[in-house]
Amino acid sequence: MDLSTKAEQLREKLPTTLAGGRVAELTARVEQLEADLAELRRHQLRMAELADIVTELLVPMASRDDAAVAAALEKFQAGL
């Protein structure tokens, strides 16, 4: 069972008028936090991809492997 399924099950158990609408406020906040988390995960993945590209460029550059540098740049440009 994933986190969002569990959260939905818990939401269904709570009375909707608890603390004068606080449940709706908290539900909206949880949804916003889940969206923010998904966005952060996308950014983290992109940063990992960029780190991989930098590594692919630096190692051939350090060894003066121009063909490998050109291939890494071409791969990066194709991914844009």
Side-chain angles (χ1 to χ4, degrees):
M1 176 181 306
D2 67 347
L3 187 59
S4 62
T5 303
K6 183 69 172 170
E8 186 61 34
Q9 289 175 347
L10 291 173
R11 280 188 209 119
E12 291 171 0
K13 292 180 182 179
L14 291 172
T16 56
T17 59
L18 182 67
R22 182 92 170 123
V23 171
E25 178 185 325
L26 292 174
T27 298
R29 180 68 179 137
V30 167
E31 289 170 357
Q32 181 61 47
L33 289 171
E34 288 173 344
D36 291 347
L37 181 60
E39 182 179 354
L40 286 172
R41 286 180 177 154
R42 285 190 301 274
H43 288 303
Q44 183 180 14
L45 178 60
R46 184 62 180 148
M47 288 299 297
E49 291 170 348
L50 290 173
D52 289 344
I53 291 168
V54 168
T55 301
E56 288 178 20
L57 286 172
L58 290 179
V59 171
M61 289 175 120
S63 63
R64 309 242 187 246
D65 187 350
D66 293 335
V69 171
L73 285 172
E74 184 177 320
K75 180 180 173 184
F76 171 71
Q77 290 173 347
L80 292 178

